[in-house]
Amino acid sequence: MKTHLATSKSRAMFGVSVAILATILVAGCRDEEEASERPPRPVRTVAVSFNPEDTYGSLVGEIRPRTETSFSFRQGGEVRERDVEVGDLVEIDTVLARLDTEDAQDAMRKAEANLFAAQAQFQNAETERARQQQLYPRTSTRQAFDAATAQASMAQAGVDAAQAGLRIAQTNLDNRVLKANAAGVVTAIGGEVGQIVGGGQMVVRVAQLGPRDAVFQVPEATIQTTGGDARVDVQLLSNPSIKATGTVREISPTADPITRNFTVRVGLDTAPNEFRFGSAVRGTIRLAGEPAARLPITALFSQGSESAVWVVDAASKTTKLVPVEVHRFDTKDFLVTKGLSSGDNVVVAGVQQLRPGMPVRLLEGSVE
C-alpha cells in the first residue's frame, strides 16, 4: 500500500516538472520570436577619423615692445623740467627732462678758471725754458737749463689736468639734460618737476616703435613639452579675427617665485596696428602630436574602470563594445588614441540602452 502511494506521488511530481519545462520552452520561444520581430533600435553615429592632435593649449598674455628703454640721470638732483608725458612720441635727441644746473655751472666756471691759470703758468714756464736754452752754455749753467725744462713739463701737465677737469665739468653739465637716443613712445614717468631723483633712477621710459613681442607666463610642464622653437598663433582677445604668428624668442631662465611660471616672449613676424602695447592676446601653441580621434563625450561608456565606446558593425548593423585608450578629456569631447580604426561607426547617442549584438538603425544625420 505504501509503495503504491509513493509511486503515484513520484508520477505526479514528474508531471508537474514536465509541465513547467514545457512552459519555459514556450516562453523562450516567444521571447525569441518577439526579439526577432522587434524593430532595430535607432542610433546616431559618427565615423572615426584620426588626425594629428596639433593644438597643445593656449594662454593669455599681452603685447609689449621688443625694445623698451628706461632713461635716467647719471647724477642725482632736482628735476627742474620734464618735457614729455605718457603717450608722447619722441625722436632721437628729443629733450625728456632737465635737472637743476646751478651747481654744475659753478663747477664748469671753476674748471675754466683752473685751465686759464694752468695755461698762464705754462706760458711763463715755456718762456723761461726758451730763455735758458739761448743762454746755455754761454752765460747759463746746465742745472738752470734742466730746472727750466722740468718746470715747463710740470706746467704742461697742469694744463692737461685742467683740460680734463673742464671736460668732466662739461659732461656733468650735459648730463643734466636727458635726451632720447631712439624714436619711440613714452610709456611711463618716474620723476616729477621738483622731485629729487637719484643717479640711475628711472625718470622716463620709452618704447621703440618697431618689432613687438607677445609675452606670456608659461608653466614649466608646457615649456618642457613644446621646446623653444614652437610656432605660436596669437589673436587679439577683444577681436579674435585679428591675428599674427610668431616664434618663441626668449624664455626666462628663472621662474616667478610666487606663480612658478616662466616668462616667455614670442617675437611676432608682423604685428597688426591693433596690437597695441598692453593689449590682451591669446597665444596658441601648435605641435604635430600623436594621431587621435575626437569624439563627443556622449559616446563614452564606462566598462568597469575602463573606457569604451559602442561600434556599429557595417555589415550586420549590430553593436559591439570596444575598449579604448583616452588621451585627453576636453569640455565637450575626448580624444582616443588606441582601440579604434579609421572609418569605425561609433554610437554617440543612447549608449546606455545598448547591448552587445543588438540590431540598430542609423538615424538621419549619422556620419558613416
Side-chain angles (χ1 to χ4, degrees):
M1 182 70 178
K2 291 182 179 180
T3 302
H4 177 72
L5 290 176
T7 302
S8 300
K9 187 174 181 180
S10 298
R11 291 177 179 176
M13 292 180 64
F14 177 76
V16 172
S17 300
V18 171
I20 293 175
L21 180 60
T23 302
I24 293 175
L25 292 175
V26 171
C29 292
R30 288 179 180 176
D31 290 341
E32 291 180 359
E33 292 177 357
E34 290 178 359
S36 62
E37 296 176 357
R38 186 180 303 165
R41 178 176 293 278
V43 294
R44 180 172 285 104
T45 63
V46 295
V48 173
S49 176
F50 280 87
N51 298 291
E53 178 55 24
D54 59 356
T55 300
Y56 182 81
S58 63
L59 292 170
V60 175
E62 64 175 337
I63 298 297
R64 293 184 186 174
R66 178 75 56 84
T67 303
E68 192 172 23
T69 306
S70 296
F71 290 93
S72 59
F73 293 103
R74 294 186 179 182
Q75 295 88 21
E78 179 184 352
V79 179
R80 283 293 180 89
E81 297 179 14
R82 183 169 54 76
D83 301 335
V84 295
E85 298 289 346
V86 173
D88 289 351
L89 296 175
V90 298
E91 301 293 338
I92 297 177
D93 290 335
T94 297
V95 175
L96 305 176
R98 300 175 188 269
L99 289 180
D100 175 41
T101 60
E102 184 175 350
D103 293 342
Q105 288 177 345
D106 289 342
M108 181 71 179
R109 287 190 288 266
K110 181 179 179 180
E112 290 174 344
N114 290 338
L115 177 59
F116 181 79
Q119 288 174 339
Q121 291 180 1
F122 172 71
Q123 289 177 358
N124 292 334
E126 182 63 20
T127 301
E128 180 62 20
R129 186 197 65 78
R131 190 176 71 84
Q132 289 295 330
Q133 186 176 11
Q134 292 177 355
L135 296 175
Y136 179 78
R138 292 173 298 170
T139 59
S140 177
T141 64
R142 181 68 184 185
Q143 183 178 3
F145 174 69
D146 291 344
T149 301
Q151 191 67 28
S153 298
M154 293 177 59
Q156 180 61 56
V159 171
D160 294 341
Q163 288 176 340
L166 181 61
R167 287 194 297 269
I168 293 174
Q170 183 65 56
T171 300
N172 291 337
L173 182 61
D174 294 341
N175 288 340
R176 299 287 173 140
V177 180
L178 196 61
K179 296 182 179 180
N181 59 8
V185 59
V186 178
T187 58
I189 297 296
E192 300 293 341
V193 175
Q195 179 180 346
I196 303 297
V197 296
Q201 178 180 339
M202 189 275 290
V203 177
V204 177
R205 182 177 296 130
V206 175
Q208 294 186 16
L209 297 176
R212 303 175 188 181
D213 291 343
V215 182
F216 304 93
Q217 299 297 320
V218 181
E220 181 179 4
T222 303
I223 293 177
Q224 293 177 348
T225 304
T226 59
D229 56 349
R231 295 289 296 176
V232 182
D233 295 333
V234 181
Q235 59 185 11
L236 198 63
L237 205 60
S238 60
N239 189 353
S241 63
I242 301 176
K243 302 178 181 180
T245 58
T247 307
V248 174
R249 189 179 65 84
E250 177 185 305
I251 300 177
S252 173
T254 58
D256 184 274
I258 299 177
T259 64
R260 310 309 303 172
N261 292 334
F262 291 81
T263 300
V264 175
R265 301 182 72 98
V266 176
L268 301 177
D269 298 336
T270 302
N273 294 331
E274 290 80 2
F275 277 25
R276 299 180 177 88
F277 298 146
S279 297
V281 293
R282 181 179 297 278
T284 303
I285 302 175
R286 298 186 179 276
L287 293 173
E290 182 181 5
R294 185 176 292 274
L295 297 173
I297 202 71
T298 54
L300 189 63
F301 186 86
S302 296
Q303 186 181 25
S305 60
E306 298 181 351
S307 299
V309 296
W310 290 99
V311 176
V312 177
D313 183 80
S316 63
K317 300 296 182 183
T318 57
T319 58
K320 60 179 178 178
L321 190 62
V322 177
V324 295
E325 183 175 318
V326 178
H327 172 62
R328 188 178 75 240
F329 289 97
D330 290 338
T331 305
K332 296 182 179 180
D333 46 28
F334 63 100
L335 298 177
V336 175
T337 54
K338 295 181 181 178
L340 297 174
S341 301
S342 294
D344 287 346
N345 293 325
V346 176
V347 180
V348 296
V351 298
Q352 302 300 329
Q353 306 299 325
L354 300 180
R355 297 293 181 270
M358 178 179 290
V360 294
R361 174 176 56 88
L362 302 185
L363 290 173
E364 183 179 354
S366 297
V367 181
E368 296 187 73

